[in-house]
Amino acid sequence: MRRAVCPGSFDPVTNGHVDVFERAAALYDELVVAVLVNPGKAGFFPVEERMELLRAAVAHLPNVTVDSFTGLLVDYCRAHDVPVIVKGLRAVSDFEYELQMAQMNRELAGIETLFVPTAPQVGHLSSSLIKQIATFGGDVSGMVPAAVDDRLRERAAQAGQQ
Ligand code: PNS
C-alpha cells in the first residue's frame, strides 16, 4: 500500500491545494490531508471548520482522507506509517523553505518529500491573499472550492454587520 501525506494549515483550502491533492491522489493508494493544529495560533477558521471544508473539497477523491496533527510532521508520519510527504510548489520562493524542511524531515526520520509544481492557472493562489480579498468584499469564487467561498462570504457579511 503506497501512502502519502499532504500537510498544511489550509486556512482555508484553495483550488491550488485541490490541484495538488488530485495529482497526489493519482500517484498513491492512500493520501492523507493533514491539518497542522498550532495551539499558539487560532487561525482564521478553527481547525474543525478547516477539516470540514477540506472534506467537502476532496469528496470526489475516494482515496483521500482528512486528519489533523500537532507537533512534528515526522512523528505523525511514523505513527501512521506514511513514508512520503507531498508538497505543492508555486514558485522558487516556496522552494527555498520547502527544500530546507524536506532535508530536515529526511534527516529526522528518513521521510521523503515529493514536490508537485502547481498548475500555472492556480500558481498565484495563497490562503492569506484569498482571506484578505474576501474580507474586503472581493470575488474569490474561482479560486476556492464552493463551500469555502460560501463560508468566506458569510464571514465577510458578519464582519460588515459589526
Ligand atoms: O500550509 P503551511 O502553513 O505552509 O504548512 C506548513 C507545515 C504544516 C507543513 C509545516 O509547518 C510543518 O510541517 N509543521 C509541523 C511541525 C514540524 O514538523 N516542523 C519541522 C519541519 S522540518
Side-chain angles (χ1 to χ4, degrees):
M1 186 70 86
R2 293 169 312 151
R3 247 192 223 129
V5 63
C6 270
S9 305
F10 306 117
D11 189 24
V13 58
T14 71
N15 287 349
H17 296 131
V18 176
D19 169 52
V20 175
F21 302 155
E22 287 172 347
R23 289 159 60 196
L27 296 173
Y28 294 91
D29 299 311
E30 279 181 19
L31 179 73
V32 184
V33 176
V35 183
L36 172 70
V37 181
N38 185 344
K41 200 172 154 201
F44 187 79
F45 290 111
V47 169
E48 275 310 317
E49 197 170 354
R50 285 184 237 168
M51 291 175 72
E52 179 198 327
L53 293 170
L54 277 164
R55 283 191 197 101
V58 300
H60 62 297
L61 301 169
N63 60 336
V64 180
T65 54
V66 177
D67 199 2
S68 63
F69 73 103
T70 48
L72 291 181
L73 178 58
V74 291
D75 287 338
Y76 178 87
C77 290
R78 275 194 282 229
H80 294 83
D81 204 16
V82 179
V84 179
I85 298 164
V86 178
K87 288 285 192 79
L89 283 185
R90 291 168 298 189
V92 175
S93 49
D94 280 347
F95 182 68
E96 287 183 21
Y97 182 48
E98 294 295 344
L99 175 67
Q100 195 181 15
M101 283 201 288
Q103 288 170 327
M104 189 61 89
N105 285 329
R106 185 153 182 271
E107 180 171 339
L108 287 172
I111 309 282
E112 295 287 4
T113 299
L114 178 88
F115 291 124
V116 174
T118 50
Q121 309 90 286
V122 292
H124 59 300
L125 302 184
S126 79
S127 298
S128 33
L129 277 184
I130 280 167
K131 282 181 282 198
Q132 206 179 91
I133 294 162
T135 301
F136 292 109
D139 181 5
V140 295
S141 56
M143 306 175 195
V144 291
V148 175
D149 186 41
D150 291 347
R151 214 55 71 86
L152 285 168
R153 284 175 196 271
E154 281 167 27
R155 289 282 293 260
Q158 282 163 8
Q161 283 163 11
Q162 282 164 11

